Amino acid sequence: MKNWRLVWWVVAVVIFMCLPGCVMAEDSTTCTFGIWSLVPPLLAIVLAFVTRQVVLSLFLGAFVGVIMLEGGNIFSAFLTLLSKYLVGAITDSFHAAILIFLMVLGSVVGIIGRMGGTKALADHIGRLAKNEKTAQVATWLLGIVVFFDDYANAVVVGPTMRPLFDKYSISREKLAFIVDATAAPVTGLFIISTWIGYELSLIKDSYASLGISAAPYDVFLSSLPFRFYEILMLLFVVLIAITGRDFGPMWHAEHRARTTGKVIGDNARPIAANIKMEQVYLGDKEAKAHNAWIPIIVLVVSSLVALWYNGGGPCLGYSFDALREAFSNADSSMAILWATVFTVIVTILLALSQRILSLEETMDAFTEGAASMVPALMILTLAWTISGVIADVGTAQFLVGTLSSRLPAFAVAPLVFLVASLLSFATGTSWGTMAIVMPLAIPLAYNVSPSILTLVVGSVLGGAIFGDHCSPISDTTIMASMSSACDHIAHVKTQLPYALSVQLVCLGLYFLGGFISHSWVLLLIGSLAIVFIVRFLGKPITQTETLAHS
């Protein structure tokens, strides 16, 4: 209660202080807020720290920004926020297509899960495991296969692989870590997922604020080699699995499990995996893996075809350069919407033609899957809203004017990565972090040195996923603990040294990115650093100790 009183006092003081913020620029035609333009994003950041409520924080940050634009008229600002910025964010054709795409993709995930496709796919991969090392590699592989949604990933992988981990006396902490490390990092990387529309929209709007008509999908693809945290974390997980080496609290958890058979600690309080999700199979027939593979393949192939067609592919030809040009020209939001609607039709026909689900059950799964995306849609809409407000109060212009002449190019990406990492860890959300940092980072990078734009885009997205992966208040971190039936605090304590190790390597790579332009060189350096960490910090559980327990 005291925290909430503090929040409202902070908001009231900020509103009062912002009333005289607008002054006329030298040309007497535009209004600028100078340093006060930092208030909306900073308020959103501070409130996110204090309240842990991203939706409320984004809304209040945007509201204060509109109060500034309206000259202190709170009533007029409230109406303008709703009518101009909130409704405007939704009615933008690109944004509207993204919202529909996310709902439909949620429906695809829901129907696949209700058919049992996801469960069968997970069971099939689980059968590949023959010992403790292959069990961990199989879990890593399953986490990559379920790439289309981080929630689906966490809910499916944990319960599926838990019996196998218990069989080979692998700690629940290790299971939770692998589940967590292949949820957000995998979903954030793939070109088709529940995240792609959100990431594309932020990139598009941030470039548009500079007057640059960039193809967001092209920018996204170009930034993939610079998504160091996601790539190196996946490498780190598979190296830990293959070598059997661990360090820090995770080594002690593994030592306990291998030598005593206790997969959880004596004082652990595991979170029960009591999650009602649309991915849970409720049928009485044998689940078939092809009911997951077919929609996934259809989604990927149809997305590529749709991007090619929408970008004028039939007129450009079929060479590699023509394909790249078509992808660059495409309206990515519309293309992936076409592909997703086609995929959901195919998925519905799969369910009905095999008589796995009735028409009523299929539509229930469709509706539940779409409803599961509502929290994401709320954050996304408010992210667009505050992005528009930040653009109008001139936050990016102020930062660019203040820092572009003082900040060296090599410092931009590591600074942005560090800020995004801290914010995402403190708030537990990658989407909220992207919404706040992306509109500020891209203009800053462009004015310091356009050559580092894709590096900085990668640093924003990678830093945002760091917190989503390991923050104790992140939804995916909590879901990883739940699906693995692991003590949540034990999960956070054991995986945090691993996440921080990878983060420090990435921080160094973003620093080097100011001097080295080739992503493959940076990834090679990062990979060698990860190998070094696993080899010299990690140590195995000795065969003698393991055999003694057996």
Side-chain angles (χ1 to χ4, degrees), residues 8-18:
W8 296 122
W9 273 110
V10 168
V11 173
V13 171
V14 167
I15 291 174
F16 176 77
M17 293 175 63
C18 288

Side-chain angles (χ1 to χ4, degrees), residues 348-397:
I348 290 172
L349 293 176
L350 270 177
L352 296 178
S353 63
Q354 299 175 85
R355 297 185 178 180
I356 300 173
L357 302 174
S358 66
L359 180 59
E360 181 179 1
E361 291 171 332
T362 302
M363 297 315 298
D364 283 345
F366 180 97
T367 304
E368 291 171 7
S372 70
M373 298 303 298
V374 169
L377 300 181
M378 292 176 62
I379 295 176
L380 178 54
T381 301
L382 286 171
W384 290 328
T385 302
I386 196 172
S387 179
V389 173
I390 287 173
D392 284 354
V393 299
T395 307
Q397 289 85 343

